[in-house]
Amino acid sequence: MVITTLADNLTRGFETFGDTVSESLFEPVIRLGVTGLSRAGKTVFITSLVANLMDRGRMPGLLAASEGRISAAFLQPQPNDAVPRFDYETHLAALTAPKPHWPDSTRAISELRLSLRVRPSGLLSGFTGPRTVHIDIGDYPGEWLLDLSLMDKGYAQWSETVLTALRKREDAADFVDKAGSAEADATWTEPQIKSLAASYTDTLHAGRAAGLSGLTPGRFLLPGEKEGSPALTFAPLPPLERPARGSLWREMERRYNAYKREIVTPFFRDHFSRIDRQIVLVDALSAIHAGPPAVADLQSTMTDVLGAFRPGTNAFLSRLFVGRRVEKVLFAATKADHLHHTQHARLTEIIEALTREARNRADFAGAETGGMAIAALRATVEETREHKGQPLDCVRGKLLDSGRQAAFYPGELPENPQSLLGAAQSGATTWLDADYEIMKFAPAPLSLRPGEGPPHIRLDRAAQFLLGDRL
Ligand code: GDP
């Protein structure tokens, strides 16, 4: 065990050294991680970001673009042959078709390399010609980050945490009964484990449908190609004093450890530990719509996610991050086009408040963090309507279900985000005011002028935060 860890360290250390030398001397590489829970908007974000970096007419907030220093942008073969390529062309075709539709969402990790020819700014500009900066964009499910919390937990401890949370949920009663009555000390059978794992996975899906986000193991929700393997087929069981060898409890423990070793460790070692800059997309509006428990859960999930960027607090991560760190982390509330711009500042305050507790921790030294409200693809237009003699700031778009054009007033976000978070923390189940209304818009048909990418909200500012200082 110690030997493998040492070997891991050496490999990463060597790679890091090699990367640093070649990058600073020749062509710098920025490794941008894009994550967020399922449906947060990762696929749409990457597609629109790349399209807007290729055609930069709508990117005034990215200084290198507005100063005219980017002379070319092109896609190149990615350096990692073993990772699927992000299917940019298909996703862009979906969004720009005569009858546009949303692309297929992220289900696993993928990568894309975008290279920019950039003229340096400032003092260097007179001395050096343009150079190529590579941006390696890595897309991965946020659910996988939550698995980090398993790394310093044994099976018994994880089971206890999970079962304590499940006992508070009515929709998990069936599984809690099954786990409680399983003969954990007796010999196991595969159908028995499969049935417990399936029932546990149902509680994860039900939790997700109810708007909960802190659900582990993350791969049970998005299994990928390893679905059905023993490492992905286990479930939590109540503690057992001295479980017998060959018992159900021991087998579940063995599989839990295999999950950590075979699934979680390779992801953090081969992908996560290479990221320089990270954007975490958060569908805060859907959580607000789902109600206080979903917002409280989102807040604690954000704390867990931020934990992944504080390697100092986790022995497993510290070993992987020898000598390097994530430099910037941007938390972006997505789908801001669901709101009139007069409410965007409030959405930004909510995303900042959601992550403040974790960001304020004294031990969060290292990464620069930020919060922003964005829409990677604007699907609405703003409209002010008269309602009971008062002007009402609405957004109008084509509804996804019916195809009908409709103007919406989703409700007012609170001026003070604490009123949302406070209600969530005090265990309220519904909001005091009228419910915040959710809507689903179809992407609008685009008629792009030459040199223009798809319409967005603050995508250029997000790009400036994440990449600007390196261009
Ligand atoms: P992923 O699971 O994180 O890859 O999420 P996607 O990028 O596939 O987005 C999920 C869904 O959110 C899409 O199908 C759209 O319905 C919606 N969506 C994502 N980005 C935007 C946006 O900028 N504006 C609007 N109105 N909807 C969006």
Side-chain angles (χ1 to χ4, degrees), residues 132-411:
T132 304
V133 180
H134 303 292
I135 306 170
D136 285 349
I137 304 173
D139 175 24
Y140 65 93
E143 283 79 359
W144 295 7
L145 277 188
L146 300 180
D147 282 340
L148 189 63
S149 66
L150 309 188
M151 292 313 287
D152 51 11
K153 278 197 190 97
Y155 175 65
Q157 198 190 355
W158 172 74
S159 286
E160 200 174 320
T161 319
V162 168
L163 287 169
T164 307
L166 289 184
R167 283 191 195 102
K168 295 184 194 140
R169 277 176 43 196
E170 273 171 34
D171 60 355
D174 192 36
F175 170 73
V176 172
D177 280 353
K178 273 193 183 136
S181 58
E183 290 183 27
D185 215 13
T187 331
W188 57 277
T189 63
E190 192 59 40
Q192 180 191 23
I193 294 194
K194 250 178 105 172
S195 148
L196 280 162
S199 171
Y200 178 62
T201 308
D202 287 346
T203 70
L204 296 178
H205 284 291
R208 167 48 53 80
L212 300 180
S213 26
L215 306 163
T216 59
R219 299 290 168 109
F220 280 36
L221 286 164
L222 289 169
E225 87 238 22
K226 299 215 165 67
E227 186 162 18
S229 63
L232 285 181
T233 314
F234 62 90
L237 288 175
L240 205 59
E241 199 56 37
R242 271 201 199 86
R245 286 181 104 200
S247 63
L248 173 67
W249 201 95
R250 281 265 184 246
E251 177 61 13
M252 290 288 201
E253 181 186 40
R254 195 190 68 75
R255 293 183 181 202
Y256 171 84
N257 288 331
Y259 178 81
K260 293 203 311 189
R261 191 179 60 244
E262 308 291 339
I263 311 273
V264 186
T265 303
F267 164 68
F268 279 94
R269 184 191 57 215
D270 303 337
H271 303 292
F272 184 74
S273 68
R274 302 180 65 87
I275 291 169
D276 307 316
R277 311 277 163 112
Q278 176 70 54
I279 179 163
V280 182
L281 301 171
V282 186
D283 189 355
L285 292 176
S286 291
I288 293 169
H289 171 69
V295 170
D297 190 62
L298 181 62
Q299 188 173 18
S300 75
T301 305
M302 284 301 113
T303 308
D304 285 351
V305 166
L306 259 176
F309 300 102
R310 287 184 291 139
T313 55
N314 182 299
F316 164 71
L317 273 190
S318 311
R319 282 204 301 276
L320 292 181
F321 270 90
V322 262
R324 59 194 311 278
R325 64 187 168 87
V326 179
E327 297 153 336
K328 289 179 178 230
V329 186
L330 179 62
F331 286 88
T334 52
K335 311 177 194 179
D337 58 328
H338 285 185
L339 297 175
H340 193 269
H341 76 270
T342 44
Q343 291 210 49
H344 288 179
R346 292 185 181 184
L347 182 58
T348 307
E349 278 170 27
I350 289 171
I351 188 77
E352 291 201 327
L354 271 171
T355 53
R356 186 165 300 133
E357 196 192 352
R359 283 158 60 184
N360 278 352
R361 293 220 179 123
D363 53 1
F364 195 81
E368 179 190 341
T369 58
M372 223 176 253
I374 66 164
L377 190 90
R378 183 173 204 148
T380 64
V381 290
E382 298 190 336
E383 196 171 282
T384 301
R385 297 201 153 195
E386 184 115 333
H387 178 72
K388 294 186 183 161
Q390 295 291 324
L392 202 58
D393 289 333
C394 304
V395 291
R396 184 162 54 80
K398 192 165 125 186
L399 293 178
L400 199 54
D401 301 337
S402 61
R404 210 163 42 86
Q405 281 278 338
F408 259 96
Y409 176 71

Side-chain angles (χ1 to χ4, degrees), residues 85-153:
R85 181 178 180 276
F86 180 84
D87 196 358
Y88 169 71
E89 292 78 5
T90 306
H91 297 327
L92 185 67
L95 292 174
T96 52
K99 278 196 181 152
H101 55 94
W102 296 109
D104 291 340
S105 296
T106 300
R107 302 205 56 79
I109 191 161
S110 66
E111 248 180 42
L112 189 70
R113 169 168 280 198
L114 174 73
S115 302
L116 304 177
R117 289 290 288 164
V118 189
R119 204 160 32 78
S121 63
L123 278 179
L124 284 178
S125 56
F127 299 104
T128 51
R131 57 184 185 149
T132 304
V133 180
H134 303 292
I135 306 170
D136 285 349
I137 304 173
D139 175 24
Y140 65 93
E143 283 79 359
W144 295 7
L145 277 188
L146 300 180
D147 282 340
L148 189 63
S149 66
L150 309 188
M151 292 313 287
D152 51 11
K153 278 197 190 97

Side-chain angles (χ1 to χ4, degrees), residues 410-431:
E412 190 104 339
L413 291 176
E415 207 167 327
N416 177 3
Q418 280 315 325
S419 61
L420 273 187
L421 302 187
Q425 277 159 1
S426 65
T429 48
T430 52
W431 303 117

Side-chain angles (χ1 to χ4, degrees), residues 32 45 277-279 328 330 462-469:
L32 173 65
F45 174 83
R277 311 277 163 112
Q278 176 70 54
I279 179 163
K328 289 179 178 230
L330 179 62
Q464 175 65 24
F465 178 91
L466 292 164
L467 311 168
D469 61 318

